[in-house]
Amino acid sequence: MKIFVANFKSHQTARQAQDWINIFKSQFHSMPEKKVILAPSFTNLAIMKERLRGIEGIEIAAQDASSFPPGAYTGAVNAHQLRELGVFYCLVGHSERRRWFHETHAEIANKIRELVEQDIIPILCLDKDYLDQQIAALEENWWQGIIVAYEPLSAIGTGQPQDPEEAKKIAIEIRKKMPGIQSLLYGGAVTAQNAADYLKDNFDGLLIGTASLDPAEFLKIIYV
Ligand code: PGA
């Protein structure tokens, strides 16, 4: 099974999300060996969920979740709320969250706990520089069954993908340090031209930012 996650980041109004889905739906056909996960902003989760109803092989994901349970935490969207919307996946610890919102390893570990308790599968984003610190912050074996996305900082949003051989070395290291993860994805400047290089071996899928904003380009990546 190969997994393709589209991370729309803080792009797309509700109208733009609907336009994206309309184009995507008109060209998408389900494949039993491929799973597509779309991660829009919170405001577009329900719209996307509704528009994708009945289409096999596509799920939605949130881009973040609160590190707290439901309660007096103004502005926070918690795992219970996501679960009720039918969200079964959630990105956590994306490098942009770490960089611009100063998320700590401990906070990210709390988010993972909240999500797992609601049966939402976290997609934990990691770079090798903080791999060990992030693992240390997770409660014992909390990575079992989650999805990990290896995203080198030098590649995210830069258009400069990491050399697949270099990425392969880190993939081997991650699998050794985190036995039992459900899947390992590569993310960072993925395009239709380079996608196959990462899917050949070691990676179970891709996390796609910039190239996912164009539904035609995203479809090309899925069909490589
Ligand atoms: P990119 O982003 O594909 O634009 O490099 C990937 C990501 O941030 O997940």
Side-chain angles (χ1 to χ4, degrees):
M1 169 69 79
K2 295 289 185 200
I3 300 172
F4 299 83
V5 183
N7 176 11
F8 300 127
K9 309 193 178 186
S10 194
H11 293 286
Q12 294 179 337
T13 62
R15 189 166 301 155
Q16 289 166 334
Q18 288 179 47
D19 291 344
W20 190 99
I21 286 284
N22 288 343
I23 299 172
F24 183 79
K25 263 171 52 172
S26 67
Q27 293 166 42
F28 175 76
H29 55 85
S30 310
M31 287 157 287
E33 76 291 2
K34 292 187 182 181
K35 179 182 283 184
V36 175
I37 303 177
L38 306 178
S41 298
F42 287 130
T43 49
N44 295 337
L45 282 169
I47 297 161
M48 284 214 170
K49 180 86 189 166
E50 177 57 32
R51 297 277 164 139
L52 293 168
R53 194 181 295 276
I55 304 180
E56 286 285 306
I58 309 186
E59 299 278 353
I60 54 167
Q63 294 175 12
D64 186 34
S66 176
S67 53
F68 295 103
Y73 305 101
T74 302
V77 174
N78 66 60
H80 295 246
Q81 293 167 322
L82 294 173
R83 177 67 198 194
E84 199 193 73
L85 268 186
V87 172
F88 301 121
Y89 298 87
C90 183
L91 297 177
V92 253
H94 189 280
S95 64
E96 287 152 14
R97 300 290 319 168
R98 295 176 192 262
R99 177 174 180 197
W100 301 111
F101 302 91
H102 312 292
E103 286 188 5
T104 64
H105 304 309
E107 253 177 286
I108 291 161
N110 288 338
K111 289 176 185 215
I112 291 177
R113 189 199 55 233
E114 288 298 313
L115 291 165
V116 170
E117 280 176 2
Q118 292 305 312
D119 287 328
I120 296 174
I121 298 176
I123 303 172
L124 171 62
C125 304
L126 288 170
D127 191 6
K128 69 173 189 321
D129 292 349
Y130 45 80
L131 177 64
D132 290 336
Q133 291 99 305
Q134 184 63 79
I135 290 174
L138 298 173
E139 290 164 50
E140 203 181 341
N141 289 345
W142 267 93
W143 59 77
Q144 301 251 345
I146 76 169
I147 297 174
V148 170
Y150 166 52
E151 294 214 299
L153 278 178
S154 58
I156 298 169
T158 62
Q160 309 278 326
Q162 188 168 50
D163 172 52
E165 281 306 307
E166 188 58 30
K168 181 174 165 177
K169 283 188 214 149
I170 313 295
I172 293 167
E173 190 181 330
I174 293 175
R175 287 192 195 275
K176 213 179 280 169
K177 291 185 170 168
M178 304 178 90
I181 54 174
Q182 187 190 102
S183 309
L184 179 59
L185 315 181
Y186 168 81
V190 172
T191 62
Q193 282 70 47
N194 62 32
D197 298 339
Y198 301 99
L199 293 173
K200 270 200 310 260
D201 43 21
N202 289 294
F203 291 102
D204 308 304
L206 300 165
L207 177 49
I208 303 133
T210 310
S212 71
L213 293 172
D214 174 357
E217 180 72 14
F218 184 57
L219 281 156
K220 273 192 221 155
I221 295 174
I222 298 170
Y223 295 137
V224 288

